[in-house]
Amino acid sequence: MDSILVTGGGPLNGQIPIAGAKNACLTLMPATLLSDEPLTLTNAPRLSDIATMTMLLQSLGAEVSSLQGGQVLAMSSHDLNNLTADYDIVRKMRASILVLGPMLARAGQAVVSLPGGCAIGARPVDLHLKALEALGAEMELKDGYVHAKAPGGLKGGVVDFPIVSVGATENVLMAATLAKGTTVINNAAREPEIVDLAHCLQKMGAQIEGEGTSTLTVQGVDRLHGATHPVVTDRIELGTYMLAPVICGGEVELLGGRLDLVGAFVEKLEQCGVDVTETKSGLLVKRRGDRVQAVDVVTEPFPGFPTDLQAQMMALLCTAEGISVLEEKIFENRFMHAPELIRMGANIDVHGGTATVTGVERLKGAPVMATDLRASVSLILAGLAAEGETRVSRVYHLDRGYERVVSKLEAVGAKIERISGQ
Ligand code: UD1
């Protein structure tokens, strides 16, 4: 198993290109199952989660070709010859559940294993199933699999989500495009990845209104056709690398960065003493003083502060001046990075969904372990600011969501290397 060795030190200067969004790509890819014509995605990120989704789609009979070094995904689902998403693939990634809605809509039936993914809480799929039931699907749970049927096809209906769910909104949105009649989705997620999915589906001929708001209205159509669509910028990768010059000093331009993708996050950065400026090619980030000031953070669905940037923000606040309180409202078990940061000298007190961070002047390098995707990158950020060496092990989590992390950080002057087999 590989590890990443980071030596803390000087400021970071230069440019970092931001890739297409993992989470957008993982929902755009299953959209290919809705049509027998080709769907091509450009600006795709090169990540192990994308490889997993490729394998899953191929196992269902879709053709997926990775072109231009993985940045273009050419997909075609002319024949769906298998309607079972197998446990062996699904267990690797929770987003696999996103094939359920499209398969059901196109073929009238689907069998999908219950998913695995990051260990950040229970993360059930009840909302996905209930939403599809509102469109007339019949569900049965048997031997760890969801058996779904829609005899006579899906029918438009009203979906009232009790809480905002990104994945469940995506699943039912895709399914509704081919359902007979009108579907109204209330309390829908408003994440940029949902807007991106809606735009792609619209290019395929879907009739969707209200993307980016809490109410989505979908008029079902008989069939969808082919399309080519660029994947939206990864706002989580963007936010993560924006923190690098804030933690280490220096000035970094994030190429492709957009303020509208990271509004609530930028607001917090500005409050704690960071300048973020729009440039022709993206966003320029620079810390104002020697140390940032403490700030309180509550994670919320978009447009609130994203849970996927909570661990990275905590890494920053470990060395802020003062006491910060971070409240995690989306996932109940998402502070697994805290004990690792404490090993590096951070002062963090976790009680339930609240972490109180008392800033220290400097962290100290230590061997630490990545526990999930976002936690792993928070430890790299902490290592960049720490005195001495930090070795982050279990970096396979990182490969799921960050492409070329070592070369991107090296290019702005970070001392970081990947060590094979340790
Ligand atoms: C997506 C993102 C993930 C991000 C999360 C929240 C992808 C591939 N992943 O995950 O990176 O952290 O949004 O922004 O896009 N819930 C239920 N029942 C369900 C579904 C969800 O109770 O059927 C709960 C979850 O446990 C969680 C909350 O709803 O507490 C929100 O989860 P959700 O928005 O569905 O997250 P994902 O789509 O899994």
Side-chain angles (χ1 to χ4, degrees), residues 174-253:
M174 287 191 275
T177 60
L178 291 180
K180 279 192 196 77
T182 308
T183 297
V184 178
I185 306 169
N186 293 318
N187 202 17
R190 291 180 279 167
E191 269 65 5
E193 294 76 25
I194 307 259
V195 175
D196 201 36
L197 173 64
H199 288 168
C200 177
L201 294 169
Q202 284 160 346
K203 283 183 197 162
M204 295 169 77
Q207 304 283 318
I208 301 168
E209 279 175 25
E211 66 272 19
T213 74
S214 311
T215 307
L216 293 167
T217 308
V218 187
Q219 190 67 51
V221 294
D222 287 341
R223 61 186 300 269
L224 295 181
H225 51 76
T228 296
H229 181 80
V231 179
V232 68
T233 298
D234 196 318
R235 63 196 167 97
I236 306 303
E237 191 195 25
L238 171 63
T240 301
Y241 289 130
M242 284 173 79
L243 285 172
V246 179
I247 284 190
C248 299
E251 196 173 285
V252 172
E253 188 181 21

Side-chain angles (χ1 to χ4, degrees), residues 22-23 26 94-95 123-128 163-168 170 191 307-308 330-331 334 374:
K22 167 182 90 76
N23 286 351
L26 287 176
R94 181 177 159 79
R123 302 185 83 179
V125 293
D126 55 320
L127 298 174
H128 297 245
I163 57 168
V164 176
S165 163
V166 175
E170 292 167 342
E191 269 65 5
T307 173
D308 285 352
I330 310 288
F331 294 113
R334 210 174 193 180
R374 307 304 173 186

